[in-house]
Amino acid sequence: MDSPMHTTPPPTLSAPQRLYSAESVRQLDQQVISQQQVPGLALMKRAGRAAYDCLRHRWPDVAAIQVFCGGGNNAGDGYVIAGLAAQRQLPATVFVAVPVEKLKGEALEAYRFAEREGATLVSNLSDLPAAEKNTVLVDALLGTGFSGALRAPMESAVAHINKSQAPVLAVDLPSGLHADSGTAESGAVQANVTITFIGRKAGLYLGRGPALTGEVIFDDLGAAPSIYEQTPALLTRHCGDSLERLPARSADSYKNQFGHVMVVGGDHGYGGAALMAAEAAARAGAGLISLASRPEHVAAVLTRCPEVMAQPVVSGQELEPLLEAPDVIAVGPGLGKSPWSEQLLARAGRAEARLVLDADALNILAGGRVLAGVKRDDWVLTPHVGEAARLLGISTAEVSADRVAAARAIQQKFSGVVILKGTGTLIAHSDGIDIINSGNPGMASGGMGDLLTGVIAALIGQGMALPAAARLAVWVHGEAGNRAARDGQRGLLATDLLPHIRALVD
């Protein structure tokens, strides 16, 4: 007797998060003040109260707080926190980094509130009491307006915070972190928790941001949803439950429905990279996998993964007839930069199949001899910072200083989808830029990028649009790394991720 049929509706996707530039957050602030008629001081008090409540919730046994205040609205939030603590008989000592005569507007009003409520105000770090047990430090030194380098007295205040063994709550963002780029001065505050307001700042999720912020908590301070529709976001942040997924397979599925992925690469001495990309594509669900590589690698491929159809090629001319079958061609893993490498990229780049370019395929592309001036809407480029710099003809420091601008520039130059890998991987496409935060430092080892290339190709082959495939692949890759690192990050190998990739795409 047949079992009754149960149908499970597809899961509802969570809304992705919008990340804003510092200037856009200032616009959001002004819109709340003007359109919702919330006075600036009231908004500051909301922020201070949210931060104070966060502090008490996160550290319920807190016995005293030390608040470090600069001179802007960020400092005003800190003064409100100190005043609220003093009201409630929680000892609050404030290091006043900017003299009161230089404070203006709401920040000055907040200072007076802290003073009235009995917070202890000091202007010399040496006068601060030692941070004893159950003391929490509050960083309200520098806000979204920070740029350049840390200067006195902020530099010494940040050093004081970081030398302390006490936990740190950063208000809006850690001092020394750039709100837009996620770059940071060497002495930036290392927070345990960061509470941010009105709009999530892009720098919290980019570059050094995730290493400095600790846990990030967001409070919109009562901003109406309509406010956010009026201000464009800099980035769209996706998490696992906000990503489009592959549909369930029907009972009568067959392999040709799920795409034929070909990996092209593996020059002398680099066969492992191409094989890992091919195996990742297989584990990510591609129906057919082929590999075009140097002849000496074929035997190893058949031994390691006989499901891969390994094809020996010694020239671009031999590759040409093989390019008619695949739906997606991934070029670059172990490709090298020899004449053989350039021939293979030149032939693959003219194929009708969709493309994924990685590693030396990008370096050859940057050289300008192969596929010069080509723009394709149906390819995905996957550079790390160094490859991005070569594609743009600029330094790696310039790319790191503004990764968002770099990703956008590469996409505009070459079209298609660009995945700029790193902490806070960026995915640039014609409709904007997405960010995915997944993975861990243990993934800083050889072969990880080859796996990502294979997963991207497999998802495209199974019918996903390029931007959606790129987003899901980046998340799957990082989450597989997290699962594989549960027993430790050091010594993590790329192939350790393969069983987790299979589980995550199903």
PDB file of all heavy atoms in Angstrom, residues 220-248:
ATOM      1  N   ASP A 220      16.778  49.942  15.885  1.00  0.00           N
ATOM      2  CA  ASP A 220      16.369  50.992  14.940  1.00  0.00           C
ATOM      3  C   ASP A 220      15.868  52.247  15.639  1.00  0.00           C
ATOM      4  O   ASP A 220      15.516  53.238  14.971  1.00  0.00           O
ATOM      5  CB  ASP A 220      15.329  50.462  13.955  1.00  0.00           C
ATOM      6  CG  ASP A 220      14.017  50.035  14.627  1.00  0.00           C
ATOM      7  OD1 ASP A 220      13.792  50.384  15.803  1.00  0.00           O
ATOM      8  OD2 ASP A 220      13.217  49.349  13.970  1.00  0.00           O
ATOM      9  N   LEU A 221      15.800  52.239  16.953  1.00  0.00           N
ATOM     10  CA  LEU A 221      15.383  53.406  17.753  1.00  0.00           C
ATOM     11  C   LEU A 221      14.007  53.927  17.363  1.00  0.00           C
ATOM     12  O   LEU A 221      13.721  55.110  17.501  1.00  0.00           O
ATOM     13  CB  LEU A 221      16.419  54.537  17.658  1.00  0.00           C
ATOM     14  CG  LEU A 221      17.848  54.179  18.077  1.00  0.00           C
ATOM     15  CD1 LEU A 221      18.738  55.410  18.017  1.00  0.00           C
ATOM     16  CD2 LEU A 221      17.889  53.546  19.459  1.00  0.00           C
ATOM     17  N   GLY A 222      13.177  53.030  16.862  1.00  0.00           N
ATOM     18  CA  GLY A 222      11.818  53.422  16.516  1.00  0.00           C
ATOM     19  C   GLY A 222      11.665  54.048  15.153  1.00  0.00           C
ATOM     20  O   GLY A 222      10.596  54.604  14.842  1.00  0.00           O
ATOM     21  N   ALA A 223      12.663  53.948  14.310  1.00  0.00           N
ATOM     22  CA  ALA A 223      12.545  54.500  12.954  1.00  0.00           C
ATOM     23  C   ALA A 223      11.463  53.745  12.190  1.00  0.00           C
ATOM     24  O   ALA A 223      11.404  52.513  12.214  1.00  0.00           O
ATOM     25  CB  ALA A 223      13.876  54.394  12.225  1.00  0.00           C
ATOM     26  N   ALA A 224      10.611  54.472  11.490  1.00  0.00           N
ATOM     27  CA  ALA A 224       9.523  53.857  10.730  1.00  0.00           C
ATOM     28  C   ALA A 224      10.069  53.129   9.508  1.00  0.00           C
ATOM     29  O   ALA A 224      11.059  53.565   8.905  1.00  0.00           O
ATOM     30  CB  ALA A 224       8.530  54.930  10.293  1.00  0.00           C
ATOM     31  N   PRO A 225       9.449  52.010   9.102  1.00  0.00           N
ATOM     32  CA  PRO A 225       9.919  51.293   7.910  1.00  0.00           C
ATOM     33  C   PRO A 225       9.999  52.173   6.670  1.00  0.00           C
ATOM     34  O   PRO A 225      10.876  51.977   5.820  1.00  0.00           O
ATOM     35  CB  PRO A 225       8.877  50.181   7.744  1.00  0.00           C
ATOM     36  CG  PRO A 225       8.348  49.948   9.128  1.00  0.00           C
ATOM     37  CD  PRO A 225       8.336  51.303   9.782  1.00  0.00           C
ATOM     38  N   SER A 226       9.104  53.145   6.554  1.00  0.00           N
ATOM     39  CA  SER A 226       9.103  54.010   5.367  1.00  0.00           C
ATOM     40  C   SER A 226      10.387  54.820   5.255  1.00  0.00           C
ATOM     41  O   SER A 226      10.796  55.198   4.152  1.00  0.00           O
ATOM     42  CB  SER A 226       7.905  54.956   5.410  1.00  0.00           C
ATOM     43  OG  SER A 226       7.947  55.758   6.589  1.00  0.00           O
ATOM     44  N   ILE A 227      11.037  55.086   6.382  1.00  0.00           N
ATOM     45  CA  ILE A 227      12.286  55.856   6.367  1.00  0.00           C
ATOM     46  C   ILE A 227      13.338  55.135   5.539  1.00  0.00           C
ATOM     47  O   ILE A 227      14.079  55.751   4.761  1.00  0.00           O
ATOM     48  CB  ILE A 227      12.792  56.082   7.809  1.00  0.00           C
ATOM     49  CG1 ILE A 227      11.818  56.945   8.603  1.00  0.00           C
ATOM     50  CG2 ILE A 227      14.183  56.699   7.811  1.00  0.00           C
ATOM     51  CD1 ILE A 227      11.680  58.351   8.109  1.00  0.00           C
ATOM     52  N   TYR A 228      13.394  53.822   5.692  1.00  0.00           N
ATOM     53  CA  TYR A 228      14.441  53.053   5.019  1.00  0.00           C
ATOM     54  C   TYR A 228      14.213  52.947   3.516  1.00  0.00           C
ATOM     55  O   TYR A 228      15.154  52.724   2.756  1.00  0.00           O
ATOM     56  CB  TYR A 228      14.545  51.661   5.648  1.00  0.00           C
ATOM     57  CG  TYR A 228      14.961  51.723   7.097  1.00  0.00           C
ATOM     58  CD1 TYR A 228      14.003  51.669   8.120  1.00  0.00           C
ATOM     59  CD2 TYR A 228      16.289  51.870   7.462  1.00  0.00           C
ATOM     60  CE1 TYR A 228      14.371  51.739   9.453  1.00  0.00           C
ATOM     61  CE2 TYR A 228      16.672  51.944   8.792  1.00  0.00           C
ATOM     62  CZ  TYR A 228      15.706  51.883   9.782  1.00  0.00           C
ATOM     63  OH  TYR A 228      16.075  51.969  11.103  1.00  0.00           O
ATOM     64  N   GLU A 229      12.971  53.112   3.100  1.00  0.00           N
ATOM     65  CA  GLU A 229      12.686  53.052   1.668  1.00  0.00           C
ATOM     66  C   GLU A 229      13.190  54.289   0.941  1.00  0.00           C
ATOM     67  O   GLU A 229      13.342  54.285  -0.280  1.00  0.00           O
ATOM     68  CB  GLU A 229      11.178  52.899   1.439  1.00  0.00           C
ATOM     69  CG  GLU A 229      10.568  51.652   2.066  1.00  0.00           C
ATOM     70  CD  GLU A 229      11.209  50.377   1.561  1.00  0.00           C
ATOM     71  OE1 GLU A 229      11.581  50.323   0.370  1.00  0.00           O
ATOM     72  OE2 GLU A 229      11.350  49.427   2.368  1.00  0.00           O
ATOM     73  N   GLN A 230      13.459  55.352   1.681  1.00  0.00           N
ATOM     74  CA  GLN A 230      13.859  56.622   1.067  1.00  0.00           C
ATOM     75  C   GLN A 230      15.370  56.759   0.899  1.00  0.00           C
ATOM     76  O   GLN A 230      15.833  57.667   0.215  1.00  0.00           O
ATOM     77  CB  GLN A 230      13.351  57.789   1.925  1.00  0.00           C
ATOM     78  CG  GLN A 230      11.842  57.812   2.112  1.00  0.00           C
ATOM     79  CD  GLN A 230      11.415  58.813   3.160  1.00  0.00           C
ATOM     80  OE1 GLN A 230      12.021  59.867   3.311  1.00  0.00           O
ATOM     81  NE2 GLN A 230      10.350  58.499   3.894  1.00  0.00           N
ATOM     82  N   THR A 231      16.131  55.874   1.517  1.00  0.00           N
ATOM     83  CA  THR A 231      17.587  55.996   1.501  1.00  0.00           C
ATOM     84  C   THR A 231      18.204  54.709   0.965  1.00  0.00           C
ATOM     85  O   THR A 231      17.995  53.637   1.535  1.00  0.00           O
ATOM     86  CB  THR A 231      18.115  56.271   2.920  1.00  0.00           C
ATOM     87  OG1 THR A 231      17.478  57.446   3.427  1.00  0.00           O
ATOM     88  CG2 THR A 231      19.625  56.477   2.913  1.00  0.00           C
ATOM     89  N   PRO A 232      18.965  54.790  -0.122  1.00  0.00           N
ATOM     90  CA  PRO A 232      19.543  53.571  -0.692  1.00  0.00           C
ATOM     91  C   PRO A 232      20.615  52.977   0.211  1.00  0.00           C
ATOM     92  O   PRO A 232      21.391  53.690   0.849  1.00  0.00           O
ATOM     93  CB  PRO A 232      20.145  54.054  -2.019  1.00  0.00           C
ATOM     94  CG  PRO A 232      20.390  55.518  -1.821  1.00  0.00           C
ATOM     95  CD  PRO A 232      19.310  55.992  -0.905  1.00  0.00           C
ATOM     96  N   ALA A 233      20.634  51.661   0.265  1.00  0.00           N
ATOM     97  CA  ALA A 233      21.651  50.952   1.041  1.00  0.00           C
ATOM     98  C   ALA A 233      22.926  50.826   0.216  1.00  0.00           C
ATOM     99  O   ALA A 233      22.903  50.812  -1.017  1.00  0.00           O
ATOM    100  CB  ALA A 233      21.142  49.570   1.438  1.00  0.00           C
ATOM    101  N   LEU A 234      24.051  50.735   0.915  1.00  0.00           N
ATOM    102  CA  LEU A 234      25.327  50.515   0.245  1.00  0.00           C
ATOM    103  C   LEU A 234      25.480  49.047  -0.142  1.00  0.00           C
ATOM    104  O   LEU A 234      25.961  48.717  -1.234  1.00  0.00           O
ATOM    105  CB  LEU A 234      26.473  50.937   1.172  1.00  0.00           C
ATOM    106  CG  LEU A 234      27.893  50.817   0.626  1.00  0.00           C
ATOM    107  CD1 LEU A 234      28.101  51.777  -0.539  1.00  0.00           C
ATOM    108  CD2 LEU A 234      28.920  51.098   1.731  1.00  0.00           C
ATOM    109  N   LEU A 235      25.056  48.153   0.753  1.00  0.00           N
ATOM    110  CA  LEU A 235      25.163  46.715   0.542  1.00  0.00           C
ATOM    111  C   LEU A 235      23.907  46.026   1.039  1.00  0.00           C
ATOM    112  O   LEU A 235      23.174  46.575   1.868  1.00  0.00           O
ATOM    113  CB  LEU A 235      26.354  46.136   1.325  1.00  0.00           C
ATOM    114  CG  LEU A 235      27.751  46.669   1.044  1.00  0.00           C
ATOM    115  CD1 LEU A 235      28.735  46.115   2.069  1.00  0.00           C
ATOM    116  CD2 LEU A 235      28.189  46.298  -0.353  1.00  0.00           C
ATOM    117  N   THR A 236      23.677  44.818   0.529  1.00  0.00           N
ATOM    118  CA  THR A 236      22.606  43.968   1.034  1.00  0.00           C
ATOM    119  C   THR A 236      23.248  42.729   1.629  1.00  0.00           C
ATOM    120  O   THR A 236      23.965  42.001   0.931  1.00  0.00           O
ATOM    121  CB  THR A 236      21.637  43.576  -0.087  1.00  0.00           C
ATOM    122  OG1 THR A 236      21.101  44.756  -0.681  1.00  0.00           O
ATOM    123  CG2 THR A 236      20.504  42.730   0.467  1.00  0.00           C
ATOM    124  N   ARG A 237      23.009  42.494   2.922  1.00  0.00           N
ATOM    125  CA  ARG A 237      23.650  41.376   3.608  1.00  0.00           C
ATOM    126  C   ARG A 237      22.689  40.196   3.674  1.00  0.00           C
ATOM    127  O   ARG A 237      21.547  40.321   4.115  1.00  0.00           O
ATOM    128  CB  ARG A 237      24.060  41.794   5.022  1.00  0.00           C
ATOM    129  CG  ARG A 237      24.774  40.701   5.804  1.00  0.00           C
ATOM    130  CD  ARG A 237      25.329  41.267   7.104  1.00  0.00           C
ATOM    131  NE  ARG A 237      26.047  40.270   7.866  1.00  0.00           N
ATOM    132  CZ  ARG A 237      25.583  39.664   8.953  1.00  0.00           C
ATOM    133  NH1 ARG A 237      24.387  39.976   9.436  1.00  0.00           N
ATOM    134  NH2 ARG A 237      26.315  38.769   9.576  1.00  0.00           N
ATOM    135  N   HIS A 238      23.169  39.053   3.226  1.00  0.00           N
ATOM    136  CA  HIS A 238      22.377  37.824   3.226  1.00  0.00           C
ATOM    137  C   HIS A 238      22.933  36.840   4.233  1.00  0.00           C
ATOM    138  O   HIS A 238      24.152  36.719   4.401  1.00  0.00           O
ATOM    139  CB  HIS A 238      22.384  37.175   1.838  1.00  0.00           C
ATOM    140  CG  HIS A 238      21.625  37.950   0.809  1.00  0.00           C
ATOM    141  ND1 HIS A 238      20.304  37.720   0.532  1.00  0.00           N
ATOM    142  CD2 HIS A 238      22.017  38.962  -0.011  1.00  0.00           C
ATOM    143  CE1 HIS A 238      19.903  38.553  -0.417  1.00  0.00           C
ATOM    144  NE2 HIS A 238      20.920  39.310  -0.758  1.00  0.00           N
ATOM    145  N   CYS A 239      22.035  36.128   4.884  1.00  0.00           N
ATOM    146  CA  CYS A 239      22.391  35.029   5.771  1.00  0.00           C
ATOM    147  C   CYS A 239      21.775  33.748   5.207  1.00  0.00           C
ATOM    148  O   CYS A 239      21.080  33.786   4.182  1.00  0.00           O
ATOM    149  CB  CYS A 239      21.890  35.302   7.185  1.00  0.00           C
ATOM    150  SG  CYS A 239      22.558  36.829   7.899  1.00  0.00           S
ATOM    151  N   GLY A 240      21.997  32.641   5.877  1.00  0.00           N
ATOM    152  CA  GLY A 240      21.541  31.365   5.334  1.00  0.00           C
ATOM    153  C   GLY A 240      20.065  31.300   5.041  1.00  0.00           C
ATOM    154  O   GLY A 240      19.637  30.718   4.036  1.00  0.00           O
ATOM    155  N   ASP A 241      19.239  31.921   5.899  1.00  0.00           N
ATOM    156  CA  ASP A 241      17.793  31.806   5.714  1.00  0.00           C
ATOM    157  C   ASP A 241      17.216  32.909   4.837  1.00  0.00           C
ATOM    158  O   ASP A 241      16.010  33.003   4.683  1.00  0.00           O
ATOM    159  CB  ASP A 241      17.078  31.776   7.064  1.00  0.00           C
ATOM    160  CG  ASP A 241      17.366  33.005   7.912  1.00  0.00           C
ATOM    161  OD1 ASP A 241      18.172  33.853   7.477  1.00  0.00           O
ATOM    162  OD2 ASP A 241      16.794  33.120   9.006  1.00  0.00           O
ATOM    163  N   SER A 242      18.068  33.755   4.259  1.00  0.00           N
ATOM    164  CA  SER A 242      17.572  34.758   3.320  1.00  0.00           C
ATOM    165  C   SER A 242      18.010  34.460   1.891  1.00  0.00           C
ATOM    166  O   SER A 242      17.841  35.289   0.994  1.00  0.00           O
ATOM    167  CB  SER A 242      18.060  36.159   3.722  1.00  0.00           C
ATOM    168  OG  SER A 242      19.457  36.302   3.531  1.00  0.00           O
ATOM    169  N   LEU A 243      18.561  33.275   1.673  1.00  0.00           N
ATOM    170  CA  LEU A 243      19.106  32.920   0.368  1.00  0.00           C
ATOM    171  C   LEU A 243      18.156  32.005  -0.399  1.00  0.00           C
ATOM    172  O   LEU A 243      17.545  31.100   0.169  1.00  0.00           O
ATOM    173  CB  LEU A 243      20.446  32.210   0.538  1.00  0.00           C
ATOM    174  CG  LEU A 243      21.572  33.064   1.125  1.00  0.00           C
ATOM    175  CD1 LEU A 243      22.726  32.174   1.547  1.00  0.00           C
ATOM    176  CD2 LEU A 243      22.048  34.099   0.121  1.00  0.00           C
ATOM    177  N   GLU A 244      18.073  32.237  -1.686  1.00  0.00           N
ATOM    178  CA  GLU A 244      17.326  31.333  -2.561  1.00  0.00           C
ATOM    179  C   GLU A 244      18.018  29.974  -2.569  1.00  0.00           C
ATOM    180  O   GLU A 244      19.241  29.891  -2.642  1.00  0.00           O
ATOM    181  CB  GLU A 244      17.288  31.918  -3.974  1.00  0.00           C
ATOM    182  CG  GLU A 244      16.539  31.074  -4.983  1.00  0.00           C
ATOM    183  CD  GLU A 244      16.563  31.662  -6.383  1.00  0.00           C
ATOM    184  OE1 GLU A 244      16.729  32.900  -6.500  1.00  0.00           O
ATOM    185  OE2 GLU A 244      16.443  30.882  -7.347  1.00  0.00           O
ATOM    186  N   ARG A 245      17.242  28.906  -2.489  1.00  0.00           N
ATOM    187  CA  ARG A 245      17.806  27.561  -2.444  1.00  0.00           C
ATOM    188  C   ARG A 245      17.392  26.765  -3.672  1.00  0.00           C
ATOM    189  O   ARG A 245      16.470  27.123  -4.404  1.00  0.00           O
ATOM    190  CB  ARG A 245      17.338  26.834  -1.176  1.00  0.00           C
ATOM    191  CG  ARG A 245      17.606  27.569   0.132  1.00  0.00           C
ATOM    192  CD  ARG A 245      19.078  27.883   0.327  1.00  0.00           C
ATOM    193  NE  ARG A 245      19.874  26.692   0.534  1.00  0.00           N
ATOM    194  CZ  ARG A 245      20.194  26.212   1.744  1.00  0.00           C
ATOM    195  NH1 ARG A 245      19.781  26.828   2.833  1.00  0.00           N
ATOM    196  NH2 ARG A 245      20.930  25.124   1.855  1.00  0.00           N
ATOM    197  N   LEU A 246      18.055  25.652  -3.876  1.00  0.00           N
ATOM    198  CA  LEU A 246      17.688  24.758  -4.968  1.00  0.00           C
ATOM    199  C   LEU A 246      16.361  24.078  -4.655  1.00  0.00           C
ATOM    200  O   LEU A 246      16.101  23.719  -3.507  1.00  0.00           O
ATOM    201  CB  LEU A 246      18.764  23.687  -5.154  1.00  0.00           C
ATOM    202  CG  LEU A 246      20.118  24.162  -5.694  1.00  0.00           C
ATOM    203  CD1 LEU A 246      21.150  23.069  -5.511  1.00  0.00           C
ATOM    204  CD2 LEU A 246      20.011  24.560  -7.160  1.00  0.00           C
ATOM    205  N   PRO A 247      15.519  23.895  -5.664  1.00  0.00           N
ATOM    206  CA  PRO A 247      14.246  23.201  -5.413  1.00  0.00           C
ATOM    207  C   PRO A 247      14.474  21.715  -5.174  1.00  0.00           C
ATOM    208  O   PRO A 247      15.496  21.144  -5.570  1.00  0.00           O
ATOM    209  CB  PRO A 247      13.462  23.437  -6.715  1.00  0.00           C
ATOM    210  CG  PRO A 247      14.519  23.613  -7.763  1.00  0.00           C
ATOM    211  CD  PRO A 247      15.664  24.306  -7.071  1.00  0.00           C
ATOM    212  N   ALA A 248      13.509  21.091  -4.520  1.00  0.00           N
ATOM    213  CA  ALA A 248      13.579  19.641  -4.320  1.00  0.00           C
ATOM    214  C   ALA A 248      13.524  18.932  -5.670  1.00  0.00           C
ATOM    215  O   ALA A 248      12.882  19.405  -6.616  1.00  0.00           O
ATOM    216  CB  ALA A 248      12.427  19.190  -3.436  1.00  0.00           C
TER     217      ALA A 248
END
